[in-house]
Amino acid sequence: RLAGSQKVNVRYFGDLNNLAAELKSEDWTNFIAANDYTFNIPPSTEWNDFTHVDLVIGIRSFDKNENFLSKPSSKLINSWRANAVFISGNDSACLYEKEDEFDFVEVADYDALKNVLSKIKDDKVMFGRYRSRAIVRGERFSDSFFVNQWTDLIDKKLIPAYSKSLQ
């Protein structure tokens, strides 16, 4: 997408309480409106629906001291599976997954987020690079990948642990 006069669809898939405070501000609302974006936070019942999503924001905080060590990279992986460009802050799980500079957009602060959103909207080549990497990275996380992960967990960990607990 990101062509012509179409609005750019930006989503945050998560609990509003976990969204960076700056992204709940009047300044953010004004920035979105002035730059022809839509920004939505769907209810949890729609977190699996990436229809018409161009960009996903996964920023919980711009505080450099918060790296969310206990949070998984599920927002990033779900974005890749949907071929959507992901924008992250200082999130350790996302940094762990990063293999290429175009795997996702990393921003350090609120102004950097606004700058990159303005740039990526105008630079179709840059957007295409991020989208292409999302497609490549999403292929690794296919349905069969997750089926195999669950099967291994059940067969190799849970069943043996349960069997041992019965002895």
Side-chain angles (χ1 to χ4, degrees):
R1 289 187 35 143
L2 285 175
S5 62
Q6 291 180 323
K7 284 190 177 279
V8 177
N9 294 310
V10 182
R11 299 287 183 274
Y12 171 77
F13 292 94
D15 188 316
L16 181 61
N17 295 324
N18 295 330
L19 179 63
E22 295 85 345
L23 305 182
K24 299 181 238 180
S25 71
E26 185 176 340
D27 182 72
W28 176 249
T29 302
N30 292 338
F31 172 82
I32 291 295
N35 289 282
D36 209 26
Y37 288 98
T38 62
F39 180 68
N40 291 313
I41 303 170
S44 61
T45 56
E46 297 176 17
W47 287 355
N48 64 333
D49 184 1
F50 282 72
T51 307
H52 306 298
V53 174
D54 298 306
L55 301 163
V56 175
I57 292 180
I59 301 171
R60 296 178 178 97
S61 173
F62 289 107
D63 183 343
K64 292 170 183 44
N65 295 317
E66 292 190 61
N67 54 15
F68 306 99
L69 293 173
S70 65
K71 294 289 190 177
S73 57
S74 54
K75 285 180 176 57
L76 171 62
I77 291 169
N78 289 337
S79 296
W80 284 340
R81 286 177 46 95
N83 303 327
V85 176
F86 188 78
I87 302 175
S88 175
N90 183 35
D91 191 311
S92 60
C94 292
L95 295 174
Y96 177 80
E97 296 290 344
K98 194 167 194 169
E99 296 176 355
D100 183 278
E101 68 178 302
F102 291 103
D103 279 349
F104 59 89
V105 181
E106 184 182 349
V107 296
D109 56 43
Y110 179 57
D111 288 331
L113 172 63
K114 293 193 299 184
N115 287 337
V116 80
L117 284 174
S118 296
K119 182 185 261 188
I120 206 166
K121 183 178 180 187
D122 295 333
D123 189 339
K124 309 289 188 259
V125 173
M126 183 170 110
F127 178 80
R129 287 182 179 152
Y130 283 109
R131 173 66 59 85
S132 293
R133 278 302 291 174
I135 292 167
V136 167
R137 294 305 306 273
E139 289 171 356
R140 175 175 178 247
F141 298 101
S142 64
D143 290 346
S144 61
F145 169 84
F146 289 106
V147 168
N148 291 336
Q149 292 287 307
W150 279 106
T151 302
D152 285 351
L153 175 67
I154 293 167
D155 291 346
K156 295 178 181 174
K157 303 276 186 195
L158 299 179
I159 290 175
Y162 178 72
S163 297
K164 188 176 181 179
S165 74
L166 295 176
Q167 298 174 355

